[in-house]
Amino acid sequence: MFNDIILRTIKGEKTEYSPVWFMRQAGRYLKEYMHYKEKKNFIELCSDPKTIYEITLLPVNILKVDAAILFSDILIPLPAMGIPISYTPAPIVNIERIDHKFINNLKEIEPERDLKFVLDGIDLLISKLAVPLIGFCGSPFTIACYIFNNMIAKDFVGIKIFKDLHEKLFFKLMDILTTNLIRFLKAQINHGCKIIQIFDTWAGTLNSLDYKKFVYPYIKKITDSTTDAFKIYFIKNATPYYEFINNLNIDVLSVDWRQSLSEVNSITKNRFILQGNMDPYVLLTNKENAEEKCKTILDDAKSLKGHIFNLGHGIYPNSDVKIVKHLVNYVKSYTLE
Ligand code: CP3
């Protein structure tokens, strides 16, 4: 039977429990994932529809979570635009010079042609999955953080410097990324993703005026242009930007661990279903401590109009799968009455 609890929660229906999934649920903390990496590197795994399908299913079967997230990465669309990438496992973008010529030569993508391997992976998943599939993209700014990361690595200052010194070119880069990401998300939705998540992990490194000018317009455009799927926006350190985020066309806001969900809910005026927000380090402690921290979040989430349990950021590779499983069972047994 198809488990649609996460869809019902996002629609605002009262559900039996808070649906649960984890950012980076398919990753190195699973020995089953590490078996795949003995044979192929990360990009190879992300380029083959069959391994996309199998790895996406791993956490669904092992953890019994209420949603699957497509196994891929936010930088996977870049090679088709003319931006070479590699992973060590941290992403590396291999570009000598980012100048006028480089940005003007970036290509518009046709997902059905250029990212067919991802869409074929989605097709395989949709025919088999008993939970909804979450599609995703990175935000233009967060992707750009990695494009510039090689130049001056620390704190993503490369992109910050570039936006000040080459503003017109920065906007050009954001425009082409935005066009391509909208196309990619639409293709994922056409192939059956009922939910999409936009990962804007590093926008939280900006001051609020810069967020308004260099990030917000593009997130607004992406969320206004993608209909026919529920939209989740994930950003770390969002506190200075809530007055802008409140105007986004999104259904769910994914919150890091810095503030309680009820505090965020009052600042965002009960507009959104909230997702989160356990600090991922908790999965490195023990079952009892993890359960206690989880209970605090679930108790607090009772005041929300809807809640999806997740972490405030991705699972650490050295997390204990037994604790992760234990939490899934705990969340499912915590009734919302
Ligand atoms: O969540 C999932 O299980 C789905 C797949 C997924 C991955 N990355 C797999 C991955 C998703 C949704 C992402 C998103 C992503 N990628 C983000 C946004 C979320 C976040 O964590 O902030 C970002 C910033 C990236 C960029 C990225 N990719 C980094 C910084 C790294 C290295 C960090 C690390 O885990 O060591 C990656 C590599 C990556 N993406 C791995 C996986 C499973 C590890 C690659 C490997 O196994 O060698």
Side-chain angles (χ1 to χ4, degrees):
M1 213 178 69
F2 192 80
N3 168 0
D4 67 346
I5 188 168
I6 190 166
L7 299 174
R8 286 185 281 120
T9 295
I10 299 177
K11 282 181 199 156
E13 291 174 24
K14 287 273 164 259
T15 48
E16 311 82 270
Y17 59 86
S18 291
V20 47
W21 69 279
F22 298 92
M23 288 188 270
R24 284 290 170 88
Q25 63 190 16
R28 283 168 291 167
Y29 75 105
L30 289 177
K31 64 177 188 316
E32 294 82 353
Y33 172 71
M34 295 313 284
H35 290 323
Y36 282 90
K37 292 208 27 175
E38 284 162 16
K39 284 168 255 154
K40 288 182 174 173
N41 70 35
F42 181 60
I43 294 187
E44 287 167 339
L45 294 177
C46 291
S47 306
D48 173 10
K50 190 157 169 282
T51 50
I52 294 173
Y53 162 77
E54 289 174 5
I55 296 174
T56 301
L57 280 181
L58 288 178
V60 178
N61 293 331
I62 296 169
L63 305 174
K64 314 271 183 265
V65 280
D66 295 305
I69 180 156
L70 182 68
F71 177 73
S72 186
D73 194 67
I74 58 170
L75 305 182
I76 291 297
L78 295 188
M81 292 177 64
I83 306 178
I85 56 168
S86 52
Y87 287 85
T88 62
I92 300 181
V93 170
N94 304 303
I95 308 168
E96 296 265 302
R97 246 176 92 79
I98 301 182
D99 55 13
H100 203 267
K101 183 161 166 253
F102 173 80
I103 289 181
N104 280 313
N105 282 336
L106 290 175
K107 297 192 220 29
E108 288 196 1
I109 60 166
E110 298 294 342
E112 295 290 347
R113 179 193 67 202
D114 301 323
L115 295 164
K116 187 172 184 305
F117 53 98
V118 178
L119 303 175
D120 286 349
I122 295 177
D123 291 344
L124 289 175
L125 282 159
I126 293 295
S127 64
K128 287 280 158 47
L129 269 173
V131 292
L133 177 64
I134 303 175
F136 70 87
C137 71
S139 83
F141 182 83
T142 291
I143 290 176
C145 284
Y146 290 98
I147 296 179
F148 283 83
N149 198 25
N150 292 347
M151 301 182 179
I152 307 164
K154 213 172 169 300
D155 297 333
F156 298 114
V157 294
I159 184 67
K160 292 187 182 178
I161 295 168
F162 189 77
K163 72 171 176 38
D164 287 1
L165 301 187
H166 306 279
E167 192 174 291
K168 267 203 184 133
L169 274 186
F170 172 90
F171 285 132
K172 260 206 150 150
L173 175 62
M174 291 295 112
D175 282 339
I176 177 112
L177 281 169
T178 302
T179 302
N180 285 338
L181 294 170
I182 290 170
R183 288 185 184 182
F184 188 31
L185 285 177
K186 282 187 169 169
Q188 294 181 49
I189 296 167
N190 281 340
H191 281 256
C193 293
K194 299 256 184 305
I195 306 172
I196 53 169
Q197 176 152 328
I198 300 164
F199 286 95
D200 205 356
T201 313
W202 303 120
T205 59
L206 292 169
N207 71 49
S208 59
L209 285 180
D210 283 349
Y211 178 86
K212 183 180 177 196
K213 182 169 172 185
F214 297 111
V215 175
Y216 176 78
Y218 301 99
I219 303 297
K220 178 94 178 105
K221 188 161 178 198
I222 293 172
T223 50
D224 284 346
S225 311
T226 41
T227 46
D228 303 326
F230 295 117
K231 285 161 277 188
I232 308 177
Y233 181 48
F234 168 69
I235 170 167
K236 270 173 90 175
N237 277 313
T239 315
Y241 320 131
Y242 284 129
E243 63 172 301
F244 310 117
I245 291 172
N246 275 341
N247 294 318
L248 287 176
N249 187 358
I250 54 171
D251 305 281
V252 182
L253 181 62
S254 193
V255 177
D256 73 14
W257 56 88
R258 288 172 174 80
Q259 273 177 301
S260 72
L261 293 176
S262 56
E263 277 176 272
V264 173
N265 193 46
S266 69
I267 307 171
T268 54
K269 306 191 174 74
N270 207 27
R271 272 189 171 78
F272 309 122
I273 306 296
L274 296 184
Q275 173 172 282
N277 69 340
M278 180 182 274
D279 190 327
Y281 88 85
V282 175
L283 297 176
L284 307 174
T285 61
N286 60 36
K287 278 185 191 168
E288 294 70 32
N289 184 58
E291 188 175 310
E292 191 187 316
K293 293 284 189 291
C294 180
K295 181 175 186 311
T296 308
I297 291 169
L298 293 171
D299 287 346
D300 181 56
K302 284 186 170 172
S303 64
L304 309 178
K305 73 172 183 183
H307 175 230
I308 299 167
F309 186 83
N310 204 316
L311 303 175
H313 199 181
I315 299 185
Y316 290 121
N318 52 340
S319 298
D320 182 345
V321 69
K322 289 200 258 350
I323 300 183
V324 188
K325 274 189 197 167
H326 181 76
L327 276 191
V328 172
N329 290 333
Y330 181 73
V331 175
K332 289 186 171 187
S333 68
Y334 182 106
T335 45
L336 291 173
E337 292 315 312

